[in-house]
Amino acid sequence: MKNRTLIIGAGGVGRVVAHKCAMNAKIFGEITLASRTKSKCDAIASEIKDVVVKTVAVDADNTKELIGLIKAVDASIVINVALPYQDLTIMDACIATGVDYLDTANYEHPDEAKFEYKEQWAKDVDFKKAGIMGLLGSGFDPGVTNLFCAYAQKHYFDEIHTIDILDCNAGDHGYPFATNFNPEINLREVSAKGRYWENGEWIETKPMEIKMVWDYPEVGSKDSYLLYHEEMESLVKHIKGLKRIRFFMTFGESYLTHMKCLKNIGMLGIKPVEHQGEKIVPIEFLKTLLPDPASLGSRTKGKTNIGIVAEGIKNGKKKKIYIYQVSDHEECYKEVKSQAVSYTTGVPAMIGAKLMLEKIWHKEGVHNIEKFDPDPFMKELNTQGLPWKIEELE
Ligand code: NDP
């Protein structure tokens, strides 16, 4: 029977997912792209020449509306690439309709800059009752970084003791300040306190307190700052013998100066303020002013390099490996009209969904990605546009 794929969200990532599903139409079958603003879906669908992509407007905050849409499409899978705020409503609609679910970012409450898996993991029972699978965090980080860890664990170590996740975007879009994915989500993430996990405990740091310089292959040396990032929450549960895990992301001087200034004047605030008789949320207003991340694609030059360094023991000896993936912004744009940050998120979302539809990965309940055999996914990365490398450092 032909599959029917429902993609929700027509931003930077949604564009890549739609293009990549269309390139794999044998598996994805009939593709429908739904989002709040239908014209954005139509623009993406018109770029895809060989396959018809149907488009529809949906308010993904409204579970009832979503249930109607999933039924109307008769979806085999729902790929959620809207915002993290919509994770729970879309998961509920999948439970009600008995349809598999995938996302790339964990639930975040709009009124609190805090993201965690608790509420999504709590839906495991209902997913099992409904006989469906939910795959959480099938982007790049979370997503591919989790699988790099699972791959290292499976093929290179008896025990992994430390992991550093290293995320570098050396792209230049020519604007003084812009974010590469949804500005609200991005700025909430990077302005929050840092956190890492050591010997069973979470250790909190001030925002950007810990810095190191890392020499990223094909990119060069970059200042990298410790942040909290969601994949650590599940990796500490699933990687054997782990003693420490940290996450670092690169930021340039100019980005940090803008951030500091915006924070100091209150533009990153998430609580409504009164402005000339209207209530406005500062960070939402800032989003309106900043360039749309989806528009950065054609202007961005340079590369991303995201990977993990794992250290541990194999056959009684110390071992250290580096697994990473390099993408070129201009190459990504040539292929699907998106810069590399959206590309490196959208391709893994498509691959996760493909493995689910092919039943290569299929298990009832709600699962983080590293619980599955990493090999088929790692193989797909090499053929679907995200080839990776391994270096043995020790
Ligand atoms: P964008 O802001 O570019 O796109 C989000 C899309 O969701 C827009 O089309 C928006 O519609 C739509 N949307 C928002 N709210 C609703 C709603 N209530 N109902 C229907 N549609 C809605 O974001 P990105 O494409 O950059 O990011 C998409 C997701 O990917 C996010 O969850 C982000 O956190 C995640 N991500 C994950 C990464 C990873 O590596 N794991 C990396 C980067 C992003 P409208 O245009 O009308 O506003």
Side-chain angles (χ1 to χ4, degrees):
M1 203 178 75
K2 203 172 186 187
N3 287 317
R4 281 171 298 275
T5 300
L6 175 59
I7 304 164
I8 302 180
V13 179
R15 162 174 277 110
V16 178
V17 175
H19 275 270
K20 284 291 186 177
C21 288
M23 288 176 196
N24 289 270
K26 262 195 193 147
I27 305 296
F28 289 96
E30 282 173 23
I31 301 166
T32 303
L33 177 59
S35 194
R36 185 165 47 193
T37 314
K38 186 171 175 291
S39 57
K40 291 196 184 174
C41 303
D42 293 338
I44 295 170
S46 71
E47 293 163 9
I48 297 169
K49 301 293 174 216
D50 303 333
V51 174
V52 176
V53 174
K54 292 184 194 157
T55 61
V56 58
V58 71
D59 175 7
D61 290 319
N62 183 329
T63 305
K64 228 169 133 188
E65 211 179 292
L66 286 164
I67 292 172
L69 172 66
I70 296 172
K71 283 186 179 160
V73 167
D74 193 14
S76 320
I77 190 165
V78 174
I79 303 177
N80 166 18
V81 280
L83 295 178
Y85 314 132
Q86 282 86 47
D87 287 0
L88 301 183
T89 44
I90 300 178
M91 288 177 91
D92 286 342
C94 285
I95 293 166
T97 50
V99 174
D100 288 342
Y101 167 91
L102 174 148
D103 68 29
T104 66
N106 70 7
Y107 175 66
E108 198 169 331
H109 195 284
D111 300 333
E112 198 188 358
K114 182 179 179 194
F115 43 94
E116 58 184 359
Y117 281 116
K118 195 170 76 191
E119 280 145 296
Q120 290 182 278
W121 284 344
K123 295 199 183 290
D124 181 58
V125 176
D126 289 336
F127 268 64
K128 283 183 177 140
K129 267 193 216 152
I132 56 170
M133 170 171 168
L135 184 65
L136 306 184
S138 188
F140 206 100
D141 47 342
V144 175
T145 49
N146 303 54
L147 288 169
F148 284 171
C149 296
Y151 190 81
Q153 176 163 269
K154 180 173 174 185
H155 296 287
Y156 286 86
F157 292 95
D158 295 324
E159 263 186 23
I160 298 181
H161 293 160
T162 68
I163 294 171
D164 280 339
I165 301 167
L166 303 167
D167 178 334
C168 167
N169 175 12
D172 182 4
H173 42 61
Y175 286 114
F177 186 73
T179 62
N180 289 291
F181 65 97
N182 184 280
E184 206 183 318
I185 304 296
N186 184 225
L187 293 169
R188 278 164 66 135
E189 177 178 281
V190 302
S191 59
K193 284 184 181 156
R195 211 171 355 141
Y196 65 99
W197 186 89
E198 189 160 34
N199 298 323
E201 277 179 40
W202 288 105
I203 296 155
E204 201 169 81
T205 67
K206 289 185 205 140
M208 310 288 168
E209 184 184 341
I210 297 180
K211 173 178 130 175
M212 70 158 177
V213 178
W214 184 260
D215 192 4
Y216 294 87
E218 299 183 46
V219 172
S221 286
K222 295 278 169 199
D223 290 346
S224 309
Y225 295 84
L226 186 142
L227 298 183
Y228 177 67
H229 221 245
E230 64 199 60
E231 62 265 52
M232 293 192 286
E233 189 185 356
S234 63
L235 285 168
V236 298
K237 289 183 186 291
H238 300 137
I239 300 296
K240 265 188 293 179
L242 194 61
K243 293 188 169 74
R244 190 189 70 200
I245 183 163
R246 306 182 297 183
F247 180 97
F248 290 87
M249 191 180 271
T250 59
F251 295 100
E253 274 299 315
S254 167
Y255 185 95
L256 292 179
T257 309
H258 276 85
M259 276 276 301
K260 210 181 266 175
C261 176
L262 290 167
K263 192 167 186 185
N264 286 344
I265 59 172
M267 280 302 289
L268 303 185
I270 61 172
K271 297 258 181 299
V273 295
E274 188 90 13
H275 173 71
Q276 298 183 345
E278 301 266 340
K279 291 252 186 240
I280 59 165
V281 176
I283 200 165
E284 286 176 4
F285 177 60
L286 177 62
K287 182 183 175 219
T288 307
L289 298 179
L290 290 175
D292 177 357
S295 72
L296 299 178
S298 59
R299 326 170 32 113
T300 308
K301 296 178 173 33
K303 291 182 178 177
T304 60
N305 178 328
I306 313 175
I308 65 140
V309 173
E311 277 188 87
I313 300 285
K314 180 74 179 176
N315 299 328
K317 282 195 193 136
K318 277 191 171 179
K319 194 168 187 70
K320 183 174 182 178
I321 65 166
Y322 184 21
I323 315 181
Y324 60 88
Q325 197 284 323
V326 177
S327 284
D328 184 294
H329 286 286
E330 289 174 281
E331 291 300 317
C332 297
Y333 189 77
K334 253 189 242 161
E335 189 189 322
V336 296
K337 290 197 171 4
S338 269
Q339 36 81 3
V341 175
S342 303
Y343 188 90
T344 55
T345 309
V347 173
M350 179 280 291
I351 295 174
K354 180 171 184 280
L355 295 180
M356 286 167 73
L357 287 170
E358 291 171 329
K359 304 280 186 261
I360 293 172
W361 279 4
H362 209 273
K363 201 171 168 202
E364 288 175 10
V366 170
H367 305 284
N368 290 93
I369 197 164
E370 69 272 18
K371 280 165 70 183
F372 292 91
D373 178 6
D375 292 357
F377 198 107
M378 295 288 279
K379 209 169 146 196
E380 289 276 347
L381 285 171
N382 279 330
T383 57
Q384 300 277 2
L386 295 176
W388 45 273
K389 291 185 179 150
I390 292 195
E391 284 177 19
E392 299 208 23
L393 303 179
E394 255 174 48

